[in-house]
Amino acid sequence: MIYFDNAATTLHKPDCVKGAVLQALDAMGNSGRGVHDASLYAGRTIYRAREALAKLLGVGAPENVVFTANATESLNLAISGLFQPGDHVITTVCEHNSVLRPLYRLQGVELSFLPIKRRTEVEAVGTGADRVKDTGILAYNELESLLRPNTKALIITHASNLTGNITDLERAAAFAKKHSLLLIVDAAQTAGAVPIDMERMGIDVLCFTGHKGLYGPQGTGGVCVRPGLSIRPLKVGGSGIHSFDREHPSEMPAALEAGTLNGHGIAGLGAAACWLLETGVEQIRAREQTLLRRFVDGVKEVEGVTLYGNPDLDRRTGIQSLNIRDYDSARVADWLYEDYGIAVRGGAHCAPLMHEALGTREQGAVRFSFSYFNTEAEADEAAAAVRELAEE
């Protein structure tokens, strides 16, 4: 199988990740719930993972890295814990349902959505010049028009999971700083794949998952919180400290980590973070960009193939979504796997507003997403398969 569904989860992990999980399964007790070797081993392993992730993501202190089960839990935690009735939040049409659904559920909180650029606003670039509406580039110049007196935050993805477009976080952060807004970033598609420095980039809350670009196990993720910012806990309960207090501890990270952590998964995530620091996120990004360019070069001139995303591939992650003629995207994904052994993702990708903006609500899109562990030969095979399907 040729696996190009890495935006959903990276299938191939570094060997150190597997080794760390296996070692933890044999040796790990419950962190913070004892003074014996198994418990201390768990605590030290989890703390080392915090340190590695803090360094990787530019977080001020390890205790401001809070572990969760995934980016969905991270975003639910941040969104439910920072807003109250009467607040107004700006977000974008690029967002995943992990942002949209928690926002929709808030009672008494108003929402505004930053759209993508209209056809007349997008410069003609390369082969995408005749399909500029398909670029999915955000209309950043409309941010000011969305501002209200009660606006509290800008919630924005670092990169679309549908188009791979990388958000202009510098511009977003400047807008948020100018108007004293919280900047909450969904880094599900970029943590480990694109360099991130939370402090330098002016991010207040960074939400990530472990099983994608971080090459960690499923069931791992986290929230990085700017020092001094308080978030109401999503859940309370056991913490291993202050057991006689009726209220959950307020100290980070315990304040947002009620219950037993996924120590075995975090051991793997910590090993993955160390591997990323050693390998270099820049090197990983360069590899994925090489594969993306190779694939795009192989399909961009094919009649009947529509590409989505910024034509400037330097502003993209290793994702290319496309459609072939008017074929249903789920059917194309089935054909690619059944006839060519190529695993991709068809459908809506949990990004409903982006599909509506691109006009692909009914057809969906076929997403190819590349990993550091893919090869040029695999990218070439995928391009050849798309060409064959378009010619049928």
Side-chain angles (χ1 to χ4, degrees):
M1 176 177 66
I2 297 175
Y3 187 83
F4 285 142
D5 197 18
N6 294 286
T9 194
T10 45
L11 179 64
H12 304 294
K13 313 289 187 182
D15 288 340
C16 62
V17 173
K18 306 169 194 176
V21 173
L22 288 173
Q23 183 177 351
L25 286 169
D26 281 338
M28 184 175 283
N30 201 321
S31 174
R33 270 72 167 179
V35 294
H36 49 78
D37 286 345
S39 178
L40 294 175
Y41 170 75
R44 290 163 182 155
T45 299
I46 290 169
Y47 186 75
R48 284 196 294 268
R50 287 192 213 279
E51 286 185 311
L53 287 162
K55 184 176 181 180
L56 181 71
L57 300 173
V59 184
E63 58 266 26
N64 290 331
V65 178
V66 172
F67 288 116
T68 65
N70 43 53
T72 298
E73 184 179 346
S74 299
L75 289 159
N76 271 268
L77 190 160
I79 290 169
S80 67
L82 286 170
F83 306 115
Q84 58 189 6
D87 288 337
H88 171 246
V89 173
I90 299 172
T91 187
T92 84
V93 298
C94 294
E95 305 309 309
H96 189 277
N97 273 335
S98 294
V99 170
L100 298 177
R101 286 175 174 166
L103 284 173
Y104 293 150
R105 194 171 64 169
L106 292 178
Q107 298 292 319
V109 174
E110 300 173 310
L111 305 177
S112 294
F113 296 89
L114 184 68
I116 62 173
K117 290 184 178 181
R118 295 182 291 272
R119 178 183 290 271
T120 55
E121 296 176 317
V122 184
E123 293 183 0
V125 182
T127 21
D130 60 338
R131 299 193 301 273
V132 291
K133 69 182 180 65
D134 300 325
T135 63
I137 299 171
L138 285 168
Y140 298 101
N141 60 312
E142 297 189 30
L143 275 170
E144 293 285 345
S145 68
L146 300 178
L147 192 70
R148 301 180 188 177
N150 59 333
T151 304
K152 186 169 181 180
L154 171 61
I155 303 179
I156 194 165
T157 185
H158 193 188
S160 167
N161 74 314
L162 175 56
T163 64
N165 289 355
I166 298 174
T167 300
D168 187 346
L169 278 189
E170 183 176 354
R171 191 165 181 177
F175 169 77
K177 183 177 181 180
K178 176 182 177 182
H179 299 289
S180 300
L181 308 179
L182 294 174
L183 179 60
I184 302 171
V185 175
D186 175 4
Q189 292 296 329
T190 54
V194 177
I196 296 174
D197 189 318
M198 182 179 170
E199 284 195 325
R200 182 183 60 78
M201 297 167 84
I203 299 169
D204 294 293
V205 181
L206 183 79
C207 300
F208 66 90
T209 195
H211 65 101
K212 299 184 182 185
L214 288 174
Y215 293 96
Q218 294 179 359
T220 62
V223 182
C224 304
V225 184
R226 169 180 54 78
L229 179 62
S230 178
I231 299 178
R232 293 188 304 274
L234 182 65
K235 54 187 179 181
V236 295
S239 62
I241 57 174
H242 305 310
S243 293
F244 288 97
D245 292 349
R246 291 191 173 190
E247 293 190 357
H248 195 76
S250 59
E251 300 92 340
M252 290 285 280
L256 302 177
E257 283 184 349
T260 296
L261 293 172
N262 176 12
H264 305 121
I266 293 169
L269 180 59
C274 291
W275 176 83
L276 285 161
L277 287 166
E278 182 178 346
T279 304
V281 174
E282 294 83 359
Q283 182 175 335
I284 289 167
R285 174 157 171 73
R287 172 69 177 165
E288 292 183 2
Q289 286 287 296
T290 296
L291 296 169
L292 175 66
R293 290 181 184 281
R294 195 173 184 108
F295 175 73
V296 171
D297 286 344
V299 301
K300 66 182 180 181
E301 303 292 348
V302 179
E303 184 178 353
V305 173
T306 300
L307 303 179
Y308 304 98
N310 194 332
D312 181 0
L313 299 186
D314 288 336
R315 296 297 305 164
R316 297 258 297 277
T317 59
I319 289 175
Q320 179 60 65
S321 291
L322 56 81
N323 273 315
I324 300 175
R325 303 192 185 281
D326 60 352
Y327 302 153
D328 182 83
S329 63
R331 287 191 65 192
V332 174
D334 285 343
W335 289 335
L336 285 167
Y337 187 69
E338 295 297 331
D339 296 345
Y340 301 94
I342 298 171
V344 297
R345 170 86 180 273
H349 313 90
C350 302
L353 299 186
M354 195 57 170
H355 275 286
E356 290 177 0
L358 295 174
T360 53
R361 179 187 176 98
E362 301 302 323
Q363 188 177 15
V366 183
R367 184 183 68 190
F368 294 77
S369 48
F370 304 96
S371 152
Y372 181 79
F373 293 104
N374 286 127
T375 67
E376 287 87 347
E378 289 175 332
D380 292 342
E381 284 191 51
V386 170
R387 292 195 297 269
E388 282 190 23
L389 290 174
E391 291 168 0
E392 291 182 355

